[in-house]
Amino acid sequence: MDYSRKISERLWNMPDKGERESHREETFIDDIIQKSHIEKELLSHLEGIKTVFDGGAGSGRFSILLAKQGCEVTHFDISQPMIDKAKELAEREGVLDRITFVKGALENLENFKDNTFDLVISFDAPVSYTWPNQEKIIGELIRIGRRRIMISVSSRLGHLPYLANPIQKNQFILDENCDDPFVKWCICNRANAVEAFHFSKDAVMNLWNNGLMGGDSEIAEYESGGTPWCITYTFMPDEIEGILKRYGVKNIKLAGPGAYARTLPNELLVKIMKDSQQRLDFLDFCHRYDSNPFVCGMGKDNLFAQGELSS
């Protein structure tokens, strides 16, 4: 087992992961925007879709949505706490009988036969945590699909600005007074992060050239008993498009959820989110703007890709 998988297993199996992940869209505006974008794409491409594989399904934000639309969903995740939370939420929503829960890693999909699922989805970048096997994993997801694939992967162009902005997450905090520990950390650490910041051209160029975030330091932390963030491979738009084409995917479309919202300060984002009509209008326009191919690489975190499969 390589380090990417071992680190991912330890991180996502932390006891609080399921509960914390289930509240992301109540906490951060960028997560609201990304979920809204994906929901719009899913709901507009359900014709002929009866079976769905959700790889890295987490606490069920999309598997439950699709089950409520009448789909039979295989909810596949590396984390038992995530699966437990997803089961709880699925039962609450009355769709537990339409979801099959499977614990496993994306590196191990051989038990699923070719062309099994009408729709294969994998959102919030679990593919990027499978480095150096990320291209093989995409091929496996395509292999088990029959009609359509939708995935989101970590965006290289989207992540490069982080290296010049250690307080980027503060821009998207919805409620500074909430009890979320990460929100509290972002607020308390803001001044120190700015004070300690130093722009490193070497760091930026390293990510630009090889696309990899993490490596030796994460491995060392893991070996010492820690729980580092996953080693993450980030994709360029033409790269993910090229991979999908090589595996036979047709009519590929890319998007960058969060690209438009990056241009607005926190004060205005919060004001928009707290007015129901402005919020609906804003999310609709974000979807239109972020779907433009000229901005797809500048999504907040993820690069969204979809296309048709030939079974």
Side-chain angles (χ1 to χ4, degrees), residues 154-157 160 208 233-241 254 303:
S154 292
S155 168
R156 190 175 313 178
L157 294 175
L160 279 163
W208 176 274
Y233 182 79
T234 61
F235 291 78
M236 295 290 274
D238 58 344
E239 178 184 12
I240 188 66
E241 184 175 21
L254 305 180
L303 176 58

Side-chain angles (χ1 to χ4, degrees), residues 178-236:
C178 73
D179 293 329
D180 185 273
F182 184 49
V183 170
K184 292 181 178 179
W185 182 88
C186 287
I187 294 170
C188 293
N189 193 58
R190 188 181 191 280
N192 290 336
V194 172
E195 179 66 25
F197 172 71
H198 173 77
F199 180 76
S200 170
K201 184 179 178 182
D202 288 343
V204 170
M205 291 306 300
N206 186 56
L207 180 57
W208 176 274
N209 288 325
N210 67 34
L212 195 63
M213 298 190 299
D216 291 342
S217 60
E218 283 73 17
I219 292 171
E221 184 179 348
Y222 172 88
E223 288 290 358
S224 66
T227 311
W229 186 258
C230 308
I231 297 172
T232 306
Y233 182 79
T234 61
F235 291 78
M236 295 290 274

